[in-house]
Each structure stands twice: as C-alpha cells, then as structure tokens.
Amino acid sequence: MSEQSTGKLKQLERLLPEGLLVDSAWLSARDYYASLRTKYVSSGWLEQPARRVYRRPRGQLSWQQVVISLQTLLDHRLAVGGRTSLELQGYAHYLSQVGSKVYLHGPTKPPNWLTTLPLKEEFVYRNSTPLFGSDLNEVDFPPLVPGAPKQGDRPLQNAVLRSLAWGQWEWPLTVSAPERAILELLDELPDHESFHQVDVLMEGLSDLAPRRLQKLLVRCRSVKVKRLFFFFADRHRHAWLKHIERAAIDLGSGKRMLVKEGRYDPAYQITVPKELDEVP
C-alpha cells in the first residue's frame, strides 16, 4: 500500500468512528471517491449496509448508531421524539408495543436510504414544523467526541431537547424532553395512537417541569394538541398544572371532532371516545 493510501486510511479512522455510518456524499466531500470506497469495501475496511451508505465494521448495526450518525456526522436536524423518546426515558412502559418503530422529528426529511438499512426497527418521520416551527434549526446538537468543536450559545434546552449518553463511548443521542415528547405523542391522536394508552401514560407524568411545558405550549402551533393536553391534564389533576399560565396559551376557537360518535367535552370543545369517563 502506498504512503498516500495509508495516510488516507488513517485519516478515515480519525473521521469515522467504528460502528457509525456516513453516506457517499460525506465521503466524496473528504476526497474518498467511488474507486477508493470500492477498494476499502473489498478489503474489509468499510462495509456497505445499503446503497450509498458506508460504515467501519463493528458489531451489528443498531438504530441508535444510525440516529447518532445522522445527528452528528451528517448534521441532520432530527431528534428522537414522541413515543420513542418517552420509552427511552422510562415513561412509556404503560404503552403496548406497536411493532418496533423509531420516531424521528425534524424540519427536513431524513435521507431516503434510511428505509433501506438492514434493521428490524422501522423509522417513522414526523415534520416538526407544524408543531414547533423552526426551533430545531435554532439549537446546537452536541458534538460526537471530546475535542470536537463545542456547542455554541444555542443549547438544546431552547427546543426542550436533551442528550442521552449511548453505548460504550457514551455518544450523544439527542431526544425530546418528556414535556416535548408528550405533545408529539398527542399529535398522533386519533389516527396513530390509542386514547386509552395516552390517558394511562398522562396519569403517570407527575414530574413534568411547568416552565418547560409553558414554553412549549406557548410555542405549539396545534390547537388540537394543546386542547388534548389540557383535557388529559385536568383529568389527572397533576400538581404542575396550577403553575401553567393558561391565558398565555392560544387554544383557538370552534369545535374539533376528533372521533365520530364520541363524547363532547365542552371545556375544550373536542369530541373524545365515550370510553373515557368523565372522572378518571
């Protein structure tokens, strides 16, 4: 092997941690063109889990490695949200598993190759703009490794996100904080989630932070989500509810029929399933 080739390989070892993945555009931008990528794959220095996707071999590919790669190396503004975020933070053990879905929220769709990876989990993308505008473009996601450029002056808290350490090297996995994740989950009603399961989950959310909730509810653009949030919060009489300044939150006007032949709730002008009793 030539000295130049050896240098390129060592550089790749520094740029691309074992187990994480990048796409052909990322490699080409660093002068690893198709012929060199083919050579690395045939030599076993790289593996190709899907077309246009490469990784340095290390164990079986996991969905966490994929998301961390998207958030750090590939700079996609995507956070693990909704049901998946609540599961990771120990809140969703009441929810029955519906397949193995990983919910990603962000202002821009993830790359198409995400659906071609050999994973048992299915990635589900949700556009975050209808709920929270461009807030994910206004934060700095954590760097992958110590010594990398540090976060700027736009912390994750600005979008009510948090970073979870994952794996042997404690790579940062950026997820929605519980206060944001529950609003993302409510947005799945009525078509993609069960009212009963969300009701049981909301009953257990006794430790939410009212300041974070206030910020999110003021920013939230969905009247449906905000009305559902207060409907469930009132049912379970959480202590944090009295610290929410409702007057600052726009609940819109007019009725919203969320389910057919349901029960009309006059307080929030929404129709909910009859199976949800007046008093929990």
Side-chain angles (χ1 to χ4, degrees):
M1 186 187 300
S2 69
E3 184 176 337
Q4 182 179 5
S5 297
T6 302
K8 291 287 289 182
L9 187 57
K10 288 187 177 296
Q11 175 181 266
L12 185 60
E13 290 174 351
R14 292 193 300 270
L15 294 173
L16 179 57
E18 290 182 342
L20 300 188
L21 54 77
V22 291
D23 56 21
S24 55
W26 186 95
L27 287 165
S28 294
R30 290 154 182 82
D31 298 329
Y32 295 92
Y33 297 109
S35 59
L36 190 54
R37 298 197 297 267
T38 300
K39 176 182 177 181
Y40 285 177
V41 171
S42 63
S43 301
W45 297 323
L46 285 178
E47 65 181 20
Q48 198 169 5
R51 186 171 177 269
R52 306 193 315 274
V53 182
Y54 301 84
R55 72 191 290 253
R56 289 178 58 210
R58 185 180 179 88
Q60 188 173 354
L61 182 66
S62 70
W63 72 260
Q64 292 92 339
Q65 289 171 316
V66 174
V67 174
I68 290 167
S69 300
L70 288 170
Q71 293 174 337
T72 58
L73 297 174
L74 297 172
D75 197 28
H76 285 275
R77 318 303 290 177
L78 293 164
V80 178
R83 169 191 282 266
T84 314
S85 178
L86 291 167
E87 288 171 350
L88 288 174
Q89 296 174 82
Y91 288 95
H93 50 277
Y94 298 111
L95 297 181
S96 65
Q97 299 299 313
V98 182
S100 297
K101 295 183 178 180
V102 177
Y103 287 85
L104 299 178
H105 292 248
T108 307
K109 286 183 178 181
N112 292 333
W113 51 254
L114 199 65
T115 62
T116 68
L117 295 171
L119 296 169
K120 65 179 183 297
E121 295 85 6
E122 173 193 358
F123 288 107
V124 178
Y125 169 71
R126 294 289 186 254
N127 189 340
S128 62
T129 304
L131 272 184
F132 300 115
S134 61
D135 64 342
L136 293 189
N137 289 324
E138 300 167 8
V139 297
D140 296 305
F141 281 47
L144 180 62
V145 294
K150 295 182 179 180
Q151 275 184 259
D153 57 357
R154 306 182 303 171
L156 293 179
Q157 289 83 353
N158 287 351
V160 195
L161 305 176
R162 62 177 48 168
S163 179
L164 306 179
W166 182 86
Q168 177 182 351
W169 291 283
E170 297 189 337
W171 288 325
L173 179 64
T174 300
V175 307
S176 293
E179 294 82 6
R180 182 185 180 110
I182 186 57
L183 297 183
E184 293 166 340
L185 184 67
L186 288 169
D187 196 36
E188 301 290 331
L189 293 173
D191 296 329
H192 304 293
E193 284 290 349
S194 154
F195 272 86
H196 172 70
Q197 287 196 58
V198 172
D199 187 46
V200 174
L201 175 64
M202 279 291 292
E203 186 177 9
L205 294 179
S206 60
D207 61 346
L208 298 185
R211 288 186 181 181
R212 291 189 199 131
L213 286 171
Q214 184 76 40
K215 176 180 180 178
L216 286 163
L217 290 166
V218 168
R219 185 160 197 169
C220 182
R221 298 176 171 187
S222 171
V223 167
K224 178 197 81 170
V225 166
K226 290 182 286 189
R227 291 188 188 184
L228 281 170
F229 176 82
F230 282 114
F231 169 78
F232 284 114
D234 284 352
R235 279 173 59 80
H236 300 297
R237 305 185 186 93
H238 288 304
W240 43 256
L241 188 57
K242 64 178 178 289
H243 300 291
I244 302 295
E245 184 185 348
R246 299 193 188 211
I249 299 163
D250 180 13
L251 295 180
S253 60
K255 300 176 181 179
R256 300 290 195 278
M257 187 180 73
L258 302 182
V259 294
K260 294 181 179 179
E261 299 181 357
R263 171 172 63 82
Y264 179 68
D265 179 78
Y268 298 107
Q269 295 183 292
I270 55 176
T271 305
V272 298
K274 294 178 181 178
E275 293 75 19
L276 293 176
D277 298 327
E278 290 287 349
V279 180

PDB file of all heavy atoms in Angstrom, residues 78-92:
ATOM      1  N   LEU A  78     -32.556  16.289  13.390  1.00  0.00           N
ATOM      2  CA  LEU A  78     -33.560  15.291  13.746  1.00  0.00           C
ATOM      3  C   LEU A  78     -33.401  14.918  15.208  1.00  0.00           C
ATOM      4  O   LEU A  78     -32.277  14.689  15.679  1.00  0.00           O
ATOM      5  CB  LEU A  78     -33.396  14.031  12.892  1.00  0.00           C
ATOM      6  CG  LEU A  78     -33.686  14.159  11.391  1.00  0.00           C
ATOM      7  CD1 LEU A  78     -33.114  12.965  10.646  1.00  0.00           C
ATOM      8  CD2 LEU A  78     -35.192  14.272  11.155  1.00  0.00           C
ATOM      9  N   ALA A  79     -34.503  14.850  15.932  1.00  0.00           N
ATOM     10  CA  ALA A  79     -34.488  14.398  17.320  1.00  0.00           C
ATOM     11  C   ALA A  79     -35.376  13.171  17.454  1.00  0.00           C
ATOM     12  O   ALA A  79     -36.410  13.066  16.786  1.00  0.00           O
ATOM     13  CB  ALA A  79     -34.985  15.504  18.255  1.00  0.00           C
ATOM     14  N   VAL A  80     -34.976  12.253  18.299  1.00  0.00           N
ATOM     15  CA  VAL A  80     -35.843  11.121  18.631  1.00  0.00           C
ATOM     16  C   VAL A  80     -36.996  11.673  19.452  1.00  0.00           C
ATOM     17  O   VAL A  80     -36.780  12.335  20.477  1.00  0.00           O
ATOM     18  CB  VAL A  80     -35.071  10.059  19.430  1.00  0.00           C
ATOM     19  CG1 VAL A  80     -35.997   8.902  19.803  1.00  0.00           C
ATOM     20  CG2 VAL A  80     -33.877   9.551  18.630  1.00  0.00           C
ATOM     21  N   GLY A  81     -38.220  11.433  19.004  1.00  0.00           N
ATOM     22  CA  GLY A  81     -39.341  12.095  19.663  1.00  0.00           C
ATOM     23  C   GLY A  81     -40.496  11.176  19.984  1.00  0.00           C
ATOM     24  O   GLY A  81     -40.430   9.956  19.790  1.00  0.00           O
ATOM     25  N   GLY A  82     -41.577  11.775  20.479  1.00  0.00           N
ATOM     26  CA  GLY A  82     -42.828  11.079  20.727  1.00  0.00           C
ATOM     27  C   GLY A  82     -42.690   9.831  21.563  1.00  0.00           C
ATOM     28  O   GLY A  82     -42.014   9.810  22.607  1.00  0.00           O
ATOM     29  N   ARG A  83     -43.344   8.779  21.138  1.00  0.00           N
ATOM     30  CA  ARG A  83     -43.371   7.506  21.850  1.00  0.00           C
ATOM     31  C   ARG A  83     -41.951   6.989  22.127  1.00  0.00           C
ATOM     32  O   ARG A  83     -41.662   6.537  23.238  1.00  0.00           O
ATOM     33  CB  ARG A  83     -44.156   6.485  21.036  1.00  0.00           C
ATOM     34  CG  ARG A  83     -44.044   5.052  21.542  1.00  0.00           C
ATOM     35  CD  ARG A  83     -44.624   4.079  20.538  1.00  0.00           C
ATOM     36  NE  ARG A  83     -46.073   4.046  20.588  1.00  0.00           N
ATOM     37  CZ  ARG A  83     -46.765   3.167  21.320  1.00  0.00           C
ATOM     38  NH1 ARG A  83     -46.127   2.286  22.047  1.00  0.00           N
ATOM     39  NH2 ARG A  83     -48.078   3.177  21.309  1.00  0.00           N
ATOM     40  N   THR A  84     -41.054   7.058  21.133  1.00  0.00           N
ATOM     41  CA  THR A  84     -39.711   6.508  21.304  1.00  0.00           C
ATOM     42  C   THR A  84     -38.945   7.241  22.391  1.00  0.00           C
ATOM     43  O   THR A  84     -38.255   6.626  23.206  1.00  0.00           O
ATOM     44  CB  THR A  84     -38.921   6.571  19.989  1.00  0.00           C
ATOM     45  OG1 THR A  84     -39.735   6.109  18.915  1.00  0.00           O
ATOM     46  CG2 THR A  84     -37.673   5.710  20.073  1.00  0.00           C
ATOM     47  N   SER A  85     -39.037   8.558  22.411  1.00  0.00           N
ATOM     48  CA  SER A  85     -38.352   9.334  23.444  1.00  0.00           C
ATOM     49  C   SER A  85     -38.877   8.993  24.837  1.00  0.00           C
ATOM     50  O   SER A  85     -38.103   8.841  25.791  1.00  0.00           O
ATOM     51  CB  SER A  85     -38.521  10.827  23.173  1.00  0.00           C
ATOM     52  OG  SER A  85     -37.895  11.590  24.182  1.00  0.00           O
ATOM     53  N   LEU A  86     -40.187   8.868  24.970  1.00  0.00           N
ATOM     54  CA  LEU A  86     -40.771   8.521  26.268  1.00  0.00           C
ATOM     55  C   LEU A  86     -40.339   7.121  26.699  1.00  0.00           C
ATOM     56  O   LEU A  86     -40.071   6.886  27.889  1.00  0.00           O
ATOM     57  CB  LEU A  86     -42.294   8.613  26.190  1.00  0.00           C
ATOM     58  CG  LEU A  86     -42.852  10.036  26.035  1.00  0.00           C
ATOM     59  CD1 LEU A  86     -44.322   9.998  25.657  1.00  0.00           C
ATOM     60  CD2 LEU A  86     -42.640  10.854  27.298  1.00  0.00           C
ATOM     61  N   GLU A  87     -40.232   6.201  25.751  1.00  0.00           N
ATOM     62  CA  GLU A  87     -39.758   4.854  26.072  1.00  0.00           C
ATOM     63  C   GLU A  87     -38.321   4.894  26.589  1.00  0.00           C
ATOM     64  O   GLU A  87     -37.979   4.260  27.591  1.00  0.00           O
ATOM     65  CB  GLU A  87     -39.849   3.961  24.835  1.00  0.00           C
ATOM     66  CG  GLU A  87     -41.269   3.584  24.438  1.00  0.00           C
ATOM     67  CD  GLU A  87     -41.325   2.889  23.087  1.00  0.00           C
ATOM     68  OE1 GLU A  87     -40.290   2.873  22.376  1.00  0.00           O
ATOM     69  OE2 GLU A  87     -42.400   2.375  22.732  1.00  0.00           O
ATOM     70  N   LEU A  88     -37.460   5.644  25.909  1.00  0.00           N
ATOM     71  CA  LEU A  88     -36.048   5.712  26.291  1.00  0.00           C
ATOM     72  C   LEU A  88     -35.866   6.308  27.682  1.00  0.00           C
ATOM     73  O   LEU A  88     -34.911   5.970  28.392  1.00  0.00           O
ATOM     74  CB  LEU A  88     -35.275   6.555  25.275  1.00  0.00           C
ATOM     75  CG  LEU A  88     -35.049   5.938  23.895  1.00  0.00           C
ATOM     76  CD1 LEU A  88     -34.408   6.963  22.962  1.00  0.00           C
ATOM     77  CD2 LEU A  88     -34.180   4.693  23.994  1.00  0.00           C
ATOM     78  N   GLN A  89     -36.785   7.187  28.079  1.00  0.00           N
ATOM     79  CA  GLN A  89     -36.656   7.869  29.365  1.00  0.00           C
ATOM     80  C   GLN A  89     -37.519   7.239  30.460  1.00  0.00           C
ATOM     81  O   GLN A  89     -37.682   7.799  31.541  1.00  0.00           O
ATOM     82  CB  GLN A  89     -36.984   9.352  29.181  1.00  0.00           C
ATOM     83  CG  GLN A  89     -35.975  10.038  28.259  1.00  0.00           C
ATOM     84  CD  GLN A  89     -36.342  11.462  27.944  1.00  0.00           C
ATOM     85  OE1 GLN A  89     -36.081  12.377  28.740  1.00  0.00           O
ATOM     86  NE2 GLN A  89     -36.945  11.686  26.786  1.00  0.00           N
ATOM     87  N   GLY A  90     -38.053   6.041  30.166  1.00  0.00           N
ATOM     88  CA  GLY A  90     -38.731   5.268  31.190  1.00  0.00           C
ATOM     89  C   GLY A  90     -40.162   5.647  31.482  1.00  0.00           C
ATOM     90  O   GLY A  90     -40.718   5.216  32.497  1.00  0.00           O
ATOM     91  N   TYR A  91     -40.789   6.409  30.601  1.00  0.00           N
ATOM     92  CA  TYR A  91     -42.159   6.856  30.861  1.00  0.00           C
ATOM     93  C   TYR A  91     -43.218   5.998  30.177  1.00  0.00           C
ATOM     94  O   TYR A  91     -44.389   6.080  30.535  1.00  0.00           O
ATOM     95  CB  TYR A  91     -42.346   8.302  30.381  1.00  0.00           C
ATOM     96  CG  TYR A  91     -41.661   9.327  31.236  1.00  0.00           C
ATOM     97  CD1 TYR A  91     -40.401   9.791  30.897  1.00  0.00           C
ATOM     98  CD2 TYR A  91     -42.273   9.832  32.381  1.00  0.00           C
ATOM     99  CE1 TYR A  91     -39.758  10.752  31.676  1.00  0.00           C
ATOM    100  CE2 TYR A  91     -41.641  10.782  33.166  1.00  0.00           C
ATOM    101  CZ  TYR A  91     -40.382  11.239  32.813  1.00  0.00           C
ATOM    102  OH  TYR A  91     -39.756  12.169  33.592  1.00  0.00           O
ATOM    103  N   ALA A  92     -42.822   5.230  29.172  1.00  0.00           N
ATOM    104  CA  ALA A  92     -43.826   4.613  28.307  1.00  0.00           C
ATOM    105  C   ALA A  92     -43.988   3.123  28.539  1.00  0.00           C
ATOM    106  O   ALA A  92     -44.439   2.411  27.660  1.00  0.00           O
ATOM    107  CB  ALA A  92     -43.487   4.886  26.848  1.00  0.00           C
TER     108      ALA A  92
END
